[in-house]
Amino acid sequence: MPHLDRETIWLFAGVLGALVLASAIGALLRWRFGRGRAAETLRNLNARIVSWWAMCAVFAVALLTGGVGSIVLFAIVSLLALREFITLTPTRRGDHRTLAWVFFVILPFQYWLLYDRWYGLFAIFIPVYAFLFIPIRSALAGQTEDFLERTAKIQWGLMVCVYCVSHAPALLMLKLRNYEGQNMKLLLFLVIVVQISDVLQYVWGKTLGRHAIAPHVSPSKTWEGFIGGVLGATGVGTAMWWATPFNVWQAAAISLLIALLGFAGGLVMSAIKRDRGVKDYGHLIGGHGGMMDRIDSLCFAAPIFFHVLRYYF
Amino acid sequence: MIARLIVGLVRLITGMTARWAGPSRPDRPCVYFANHASHLDAVVIWAALDRERRRRTRPVAARDYWQRGALRRYLAARVFHAVLIERHRVTRANNPLDDLAGALEAGFSLIMFPEGTRAADREELHEFQAGIYHLARRVEGLPLVPVHLENLNRILPKGEVLPVPLLGSATFGEPISLGPDESKEEFLARARQAVIALEAD
């Protein structure tokens, strides 16, 4: 178990406080409006809150087991997201062996590289080596229908669900000036900002949302939700500056960047869902949909946050 | 024990979800019939049933295929308690209908794949073989539950041994039964349509 400094304990306490608050509000709303027009929305809201407790508990346990626990957790998250992604984007018979390589070799190897702290290969393994390997393996299988499309789908799934997601636990292997042994707080910071941005976009969107940003992509993404969510998450991130290597202004700018990228991730992954004619990627997490629905924003924010830290701190 | 292990493993790999499209589930012995694309098909249907039903449900399989090799023989006989039937040299003495009707009378439900064999890479359902019609005629009022299996052909296609962990699902439909004056062709077409209809849901 890693050393828990006072700041980490405050962050955990903050998350716990937010969960308690959310549950209290959920119970209050159900008591007050549970039979009205909003009954369905409130049921979904309370299911989401229950799932949040479970997700926070799993995440906390993984963090507390140290680096290995976090790597294993995010490897499982990648696996579940990738399976939802590939299930949704049809591949053909000729891709079967390629997919076996992707699931059983490429994905675990990417996370092993993290465990091994081999940054050089970690950064290029999927964008270069897996990128080249996938079409080679599929071409050897001999099926040419939709070849480019099938290859692109698998490559895309790997990039988003594995490569991008793996940059979240990669925060643990960064070496920052005057911040040794405290990287767990960076991972907490990223996940809290990304997820609170999602939550606040949902809250503001449900309460005040009128004007859709991209009605063809996602009717539930509104300007009101976007502005409220991004500003709110920037505020929460800024208020956590004391736990990070950033000063207040840096914390604000980075939180804003994370929230904007998170929104972009949600938008892009919605476009894919819309194209395939589904509402959610799966049914894994009660009230939320699938794993991919929960981490779409993390996918886009994690690598950029990682690079900002790596090159500027 | 091994059966439970296999069921657990299949559930893990396929992230299998079972959906009951129709409200009623027959309480008497019935026949589950489904599209067939993968070795996992029978296990997936099996795994989708509750434990009590699973204990009283046997898959129907081709004798020539499942008698080849010790492992297949063991799985068919000891784990799945498959009802093995003759596909090719059917005579009066080894008429598969006797075994199937016998199992139903003994209180077991059956899992059947009326397409006859696993389909390779293709979208639509093959024409149904007549066995299911003859069985329905022989066992009066036999409920037949259509089941549509989704994605199993991608998880473990014919000719592969390593399954890929994509998400699969089994959709159970409203039971059908043979009409009083229904012809063989009409019934088989209707049964096939019942499976196809579940695909759309």
Side-chain angles (χ1 to χ4, degrees):
Chain A
M1 192 161 140
H3 167 69
L4 288 182
D5 54 24
R6 188 185 294 257
E7 293 166 356
T8 315
I9 292 170
W10 274 112
L11 289 179
F12 276 121
V15 173
L16 188 67
L19 285 172
V20 171
L21 183 66
S23 292
I25 293 174
L28 191 68
L29 286 173
R30 186 174 45 195
W31 172 71
R32 185 70 185 73
F33 303 107
R35 291 176 204 287
R37 259 182 320 131
E40 186 53 42
T41 307
L42 287 180
R43 232 192 320 277
N44 176 263
L45 173 71
N46 282 300
R48 280 174 186 249
I49 294 171
V50 170
S51 297
W52 274 120
W53 278 95
M55 287 187 282
C56 289
V58 171
F59 184 50
V61 169
L63 279 180
L64 293 177
T65 55
V68 179
S70 306
I71 292 173
V72 170
L73 173 71
F74 280 95
I76 293 171
V77 166
S78 278
L79 175 76
L80 295 173
L82 183 64
R83 112 199 289 203
E84 288 171 2
F85 188 90
I86 301 282
T87 299
L88 203 63
T89 55
T91 52
R92 281 175 183 269
R93 176 65 205 281
D95 300 316
H96 186 81
R97 299 259 166 113
T98 313
L99 288 175
W101 277 92
V102 165
F103 278 103
F104 298 123
V105 180
I106 297 174
L107 188 158
F109 189 65
Q110 173 74 0
Y111 280 91
W112 180 82
L113 289 170
L114 264 188
Y115 175 75
D116 196 51
R117 295 173 172 264
W118 186 352
Y119 178 71
L121 191 54
F122 168 83
I124 60 164
F125 174 60
I126 288 177
V128 178
Y129 292 93
F131 175 83
L132 295 176
F133 174 79
I134 287 167
I136 295 172
R137 188 64 195 83
S138 288
L140 286 173
Q143 200 174 17
T144 55
E145 297 104 316
D146 307 325
F147 186 80
L148 183 58
E149 207 185 320
R150 286 156 41 205
T151 307
K153 282 169 183 164
I154 300 174
Q155 287 167 334
W156 226 82
L158 256 184
M159 279 302 288
V160 170
C161 306
V162 183
Y163 186 73
C164 289
V165 172
S166 69
H167 280 75
L171 292 167
L172 298 176
M173 74 175 181
L174 280 174
K175 289 193 183 67
L176 305 181
R177 283 186 289 280
N178 304 320
Y179 204 68
E180 288 84 18
Q182 305 184 55
N183 289 14
M184 193 217 277
K185 284 180 286 186
L186 296 173
L187 183 50
L188 260 173
F189 177 84
L190 169 70
V191 172
I192 290 174
V193 173
V194 159
Q195 302 294 355
I196 206 75
S197 169
D198 276 8
V199 168
L200 293 176
Q201 281 177 42
Y202 167 87
V203 169
W204 290 116
K206 284 278 178 210
T207 48
L208 300 178
R210 296 286 178 276
H211 305 90
I213 290 185
H216 297 294
V217 177
S218 172
S220 63
K221 293 201 191 322
T222 59
W223 279 107
E224 292 81 356
F226 168 68
I227 294 169
V230 168
L231 288 184
T234 306
V236 170
T238 311
M240 289 192 292
W241 64 272
W242 42 268
T244 67
F246 320 133
N247 64 34
V248 175
W249 295 109
Q250 289 168 332
I254 290 173
S255 304
L256 179 64
L257 181 69
I258 292 175
L260 288 174
L261 283 162
F263 173 80
L267 193 67
V268 171
M269 300 318 282
S270 287
I272 296 175
K273 283 190 283 195
R274 184 46 56 99
D275 176 44
R276 300 294 312 156
V278 297
K279 192 180 148 292
D280 289 325
Y281 278 94
H283 313 280
L284 186 71
I285 310 175
H288 295 264
M291 180 59 79
M292 198 67 226
D293 298 294
R294 193 58 275 138
I295 64 157
D296 48 10
S297 39
L298 184 72
C299 294
F300 279 50
I304 312 298
F305 180 59
F306 179 89
H307 291 146
V308 167
L309 278 162
R310 185 173 154 83
Y311 294 110
Y312 297 107
F313 288 90
Chain B
M1 218 276 287
I2 290 184
R4 212 176 294 172
L5 196 74
I6 292 179
V7 165
L9 206 61
V10 165
R11 280 190 177 160
L12 197 69
I13 291 171
T14 63
M16 220 265 314
T17 50
R19 288 194 299 259
W20 292 82
S24 53
R25 313 178 191 189
D27 278 323
R28 54 174 289 190
C30 61
V31 171
Y32 302 96
F33 64 101
N35 54 323
H36 198 19
S38 165
H39 268 325
L40 297 177
D41 289 346
V43 192
V44 163
I45 294 180
W46 217 46
L49 300 169
D50 53 74
R51 193 181 299 176
E52 198 46 43
R53 281 198 169 79
R54 195 186 311 152
R55 223 166 45 76
R56 311 213 42 89
T57 301
R58 302 172 64 182
V60 177
R63 183 182 299 273
D64 54 294
Y65 185 87
W66 286 97
Q67 288 292 17
R68 231 179 298 147
L71 179 65
R72 283 185 196 168
R73 267 204 301 276
Y74 172 78
L75 284 176
R78 297 276 161 184
V79 179
F80 301 120
H81 306 286
V83 183
L84 294 181
I85 56 168
E86 200 62 48
R87 271 200 292 201
H88 303 302
R89 291 170 301 278
V90 179
T91 63
R92 201 154 295 202
N94 67 8
N95 188 344
L97 280 182
D98 296 337
D99 294 337
L100 298 183
L104 286 166
E105 268 158 39
F108 288 99
S109 294
L110 300 174
I111 298 173
M112 290 177 78
F113 300 100
E115 289 175 277
T117 185
R118 285 172 296 149
D121 197 10
R122 52 99 196 130
E123 299 296 313
E124 89 256 27
L125 221 55
H126 281 296
E127 293 300 321
F128 278 6
Q129 310 277 325
I132 192 169
Y133 164 77
H134 292 298
L135 188 63
R137 222 175 51 161
R138 176 143 158 189
V139 182
E140 206 178 326
L142 176 66
L144 300 130
V145 182
V147 183
H148 183 263
L149 299 172
E150 181 85 35
N151 250 351
L152 273 301
N153 55 337
R154 291 174 69 201
I155 294 170
L156 184 67
K158 194 170 186 170
E160 298 285 346
V161 285
L162 192 61
V164 176
L166 303 179
L167 296 168
S169 68
T171 310
F172 292 73
E174 192 64 19
I176 63 169
S177 54
L178 180 63
D181 327 294
E182 204 169 9
S183 77
K184 185 169 92 179
E185 287 70 27
E186 279 168 354
F187 174 75
L188 290 178
R190 188 160 68 93
R192 181 166 172 271
Q193 215 51 49
V195 174
I196 293 172
L198 294 172
E199 195 174 354
D201 291 349

